Amino acid sequence: MILSDLVEAHARQRADHPALRIEDETLTYGQLAEQVRAVAAGLAASGVRAGQTVAFVLPNCVEFVVAWLALGRIGAVAAPVNTALLGDGLAAVLRMSGAEVAIVDEQFLPAIAETGGILRTVFVRGRTGVMNFRAWAELTAYSGTAPRHEARPGDPSILLFTSGSTGRSKACVLPHRYVLRQAEVFTGQLGLTASDVLFCPFPLFHADAAIFTVAPAFLLGATAALVARFSVRSFWEQVRRYHATVFDFMGATLTMLYKQEPAPGDADNPARLGWGVPLPEWAEDFERRFGVELVEVYGLSDTGIVLYNRPGEPRRPGSCGRPVHPFEVKVLGQDGFELPSGEVGEICIRPLEPHVILSEYLGMPETTVQAWRDLWFHTGDLAHRDEDGYFYFAGRGADVIRRRGENISALEIETVVGRHPAVLEVAAFGVPSELTEEDVMVVVTLRPGRELEARDLLAYCQERLPRPMVPRYVEFTGPLPKTPTEKVDKRVLKERGAGRSTFDQEQERASP
């Protein structure tokens, strides 16, 4: 069983039900199944064979979903690429994927042209007649049916690249059973039904959109609704337009929605459930204001979602949930032994069924082995658990600031600074110190119309943070640099470091 089989089944049973809505285009299950069959035949006729990888350089569009399902029918693998990549970065990801064929939106053709001929065949979504490229329309024109490849559960369905916001991007090889089993667990834990409309404002090359929006919708025979990108101004209008009942959030998106000026019609929307991470301390106020229940979960592309809070159950503030079958999750110390409740260590995962997390990091055997040491998958994320088995996220291991011999959680600093009423969003990170190790720097975006002095922000921090966590450097800026999934890209901020406009508390103290 693969994802396109589910679409075919729904096409027979509810052909006219909307399957996919992206911006202004809608496909019913009948239309989607028909396009998938045609494109599968077109790809096969163009020489794409089972086991081959086809890269996508596409925005959120119906062609992305059609091509992913069509490749599954012929046993090939989809490799969606971060559309923000250019030059050497794009070339490196294409080489990593092993793709020689790609489906590319016309707006990204200049970037493809700069990759030096890695690709032998490029199908273009958009204008036709471009020299050396073929039109997407060629694929949709086929009326025949390609022989269906009998996929095994462990055969790869899609390569999802980690965001690379704190380190080198890796290609997660995700099997067909990962796609379906994650969708089964997700819909079961969150109580989703065929009448739901699952809305996602994040890119299809990310797990939230592909694995936890499209796949669950197609499992249930529900509707997946997506837009080009997250927009704080358009979000609720989009929820209303698509009649969305479920949406996801990540990074700063929930905060940005909450910090908009309240309006009388905030609760006038069809959404009943929002899921994601992190869930802030003002979640209950958000729920009252917008008339929606929020639940926090924990997962990553590599393993899918493994910790859940269930809707309707009492909330444990700060918890990202408990492990669910088919996953065993523990907090391990540096020596590999499980830590007692209350102690912070690394989140480590062991699957209890085959093919429900990634198969490998493509082309990185040493990295794969290192992640799987001691027969546990090591996430690099930190947490502690309580006596009842609830987990509490404590930050990324790669997002720890080393200051004066202490490990400091950037997340804790960001949580406190983010509570300031003038702050819209914040990023905390370490910068090199003349005393070795690091000093703490925060970069802050203020809410529109608000003003705040660095000295006043530091005084606010001194009243609420342990002394080692109080930032040395403060810089106010416009919107923070983001990955396409709205996570702050701290690599950009760290490379920039402290500049002339940065407030330096130590320098201030030393001034006469």
Side-chain angles (χ1 to χ4, degrees):
M1 176 74 71
I2 60 176
L3 198 57
S4 62
D5 294 336
L6 297 174
V7 170
E8 287 284 354
H10 294 310
R12 292 189 294 270
Q13 298 164 4
R14 49 188 342 203
D16 294 331
H17 188 80
L20 184 65
R21 298 189 66 187
I22 302 184
E23 294 295 345
D24 295 325
E25 191 165 1
T26 299
L27 291 181
T28 65
Y29 276 99
Q31 292 168 330
L32 178 58
E34 182 179 2
Q35 288 199 22
V36 168
R37 290 192 295 268
V39 171
L43 288 167
S46 301
V48 177
R49 298 289 180 262
Q52 286 186 308
T53 298
V54 175
F56 297 176
V57 190
L58 294 169
N60 281 3
C61 57
V62 297
E63 290 86 351
F64 185 115
V65 177
V66 169
W68 177 24
L69 271 59
L71 289 170
R73 283 184 64 90
I74 62 175
V77 184
V81 172
N82 183 337
T83 55
L85 293 174
L86 299 169
D88 292 343
L90 177 58
V93 167
L94 290 174
R95 290 193 187 94
M96 185 188 303
S97 74
E100 295 182 347
V101 178
I103 302 170
V104 180
D105 189 84
E106 62 174 327
Q107 66 182 299
F108 304 120
L109 287 178
I112 290 295
E114 294 178 359
T115 59
I118 296 172
L119 302 167
R120 62 173 174 81
T121 304
V122 175
F123 292 97
V124 180
R125 173 186 182 264
R127 55 182 171 161
T128 59
V130 181
M131 187 177 298
N132 299 326
F133 298 124
R134 299 172 64 179
W136 165 263
E138 290 183 35
L139 298 176
T140 60
Y142 282 83
S143 57
T145 301
R148 184 185 177 283
H149 177 79
E150 292 298 327
R152 295 172 298 181
D155 287 346
S157 168
I158 190 169
L159 305 182
L160 289 186
F161 294 86
T162 58
S163 65
S165 58
T166 57
R168 181 186 175 191
S169 182
K170 302 183 289 291
C172 302
V173 180
L174 305 179
H176 287 288
R177 192 164 191 272
Y178 168 104
V179 175
L180 296 184
R181 193 71 176 100
Q182 287 286 343
E184 289 173 350
V185 174
F186 179 81
T187 56
Q189 291 296 316
L190 297 188
L192 308 185
T193 71
S195 62
D196 277 313
V197 176
L198 281 59
F199 175 66
C200 181
F202 305 117
L204 276 161
F205 58 74
H206 188 270
D208 271 35
I211 308 301
F212 297 107
T213 300
V214 171
F218 292 176
L219 174 75
L220 296 170
T223 303
L226 300 99
V227 290
R229 62 184 61 85
F230 172 79
S231 167
V232 67
R233 295 186 180 277
S234 303
F235 182 86
W236 291 112
E237 184 276 327
Q238 291 164 341
V239 167
R240 295 182 184 99
R241 173 154 56 100
Y242 295 126
H243 305 286
T245 57
V246 179
F247 67 86
D248 66 308
F249 58 87
M250 70 170 78
T253 57
L254 209 62
T255 301
M256 295 170 72
L257 292 170
Y258 180 70
K259 291 196 173 184
Q260 294 295 297
E261 290 298 323
D266 280 345
D268 182 18
N269 69 79
R272 63 177 177 82
L273 179 67
W275 63 273
V277 65
L279 196 60
E281 59 184 15
W282 37 258
E284 291 185 3
D285 190 41
F286 186 102
E287 291 174 323
R288 286 190 295 269
R289 174 178 165 186
F290 293 105
V292 61
E293 182 179 6
L294 301 176
V295 294
E296 184 169 359
V297 300
Y298 168 82
L300 54 164
S301 299
D302 321 47
T303 66
I305 298 176
V306 298
L307 301 175
Y308 282 88
N309 285 292
R310 293 175 61 89
E313 294 186 354
R315 176 177 293 147
R316 301 218 175 185
S319 172
C320 52
R322 290 188 293 184
V324 297
H325 187 83
F327 308 102
E328 185 178 4
V329 187
K330 290 187 176 181
V331 176
L332 303 185
Q334 293 184 351
D335 56 7
F337 289 95
E338 185 175 14
L339 294 174
S341 60
E343 291 193 23
V344 173
E346 186 178 11
I347 302 174
C348 294
I349 299 163
R350 180 179 287 168
L352 302 177
E353 296 176 2
H355 315 304
V356 293
I357 69 172
L358 84 166
S359 302
E360 62 174 322
Y361 293 119
L362 186 66
M364 295 180 168
E366 292 182 0
T367 302
T368 302
V369 170
Q370 177 65 14
W372 272 105
R373 61 190 182 275
D374 300 325
L375 301 180
W376 287 92
F377 181 85
H378 291 249
T379 66
D381 291 342
L382 305 176
H384 67 86
R385 60 174 178 80
D386 63 21
E387 295 286 354
D388 297 322
Y390 284 86
F391 282 64
Y392 298 77
F393 186 72
R396 296 191 177 277
D399 207 12
V400 168
I401 303 166
R402 185 72 177 175
R403 185 183 194 187
R404 312 293 195 271
E406 293 191 43
N407 289 327
I408 297 171
S409 167
L411 178 63
E412 289 187 47
I413 299 171
E414 291 164 352
T415 299
V416 169
V417 175
R419 291 175 187 154
H420 193 288
V423 172
L424 178 61
E425 54 181 345
V426 57
F429 52 93
V431 294
S433 169
E434 66 270 18
L435 301 176
T436 71
E437 296 186 336
E438 296 176 307
D439 281 312
V440 178
M441 179 170 176
V442 294
V443 178
V444 175
T445 300
L446 296 178
R447 297 178 66 178
R450 298 297 184 94
E451 295 182 357
L452 182 63
E453 294 290 334
R455 297 176 185 85
D456 295 333
L457 179 60
L458 289 173
Y460 178 89
C461 292
Q462 287 163 356
E463 294 176 357
R464 295 164 174 82
L465 284 171
R467 184 175 179 182
M469 289 188 177
V470 175
R472 171 177 173 177
Y473 298 104
V474 177
E475 183 171 315
F476 296 104
T477 185
L480 299 180
K482 303 281 179 46
T483 69
T485 54
E486 292 300 317
K487 295 178 182 177
V488 175
D489 195 339
K490 291 191 178 180
R491 291 181 305 170
V492 174
L493 296 175
K494 288 181 179 181
E495 289 173 3
R496 186 187 305 166
R500 292 183 178 179
S501 62
T502 305
F503 180 89
D504 180 352
Q505 184 173 205
E506 295 297 326
Q507 191 175 61
E508 178 77 5
R509 288 172 178 165
S511 298

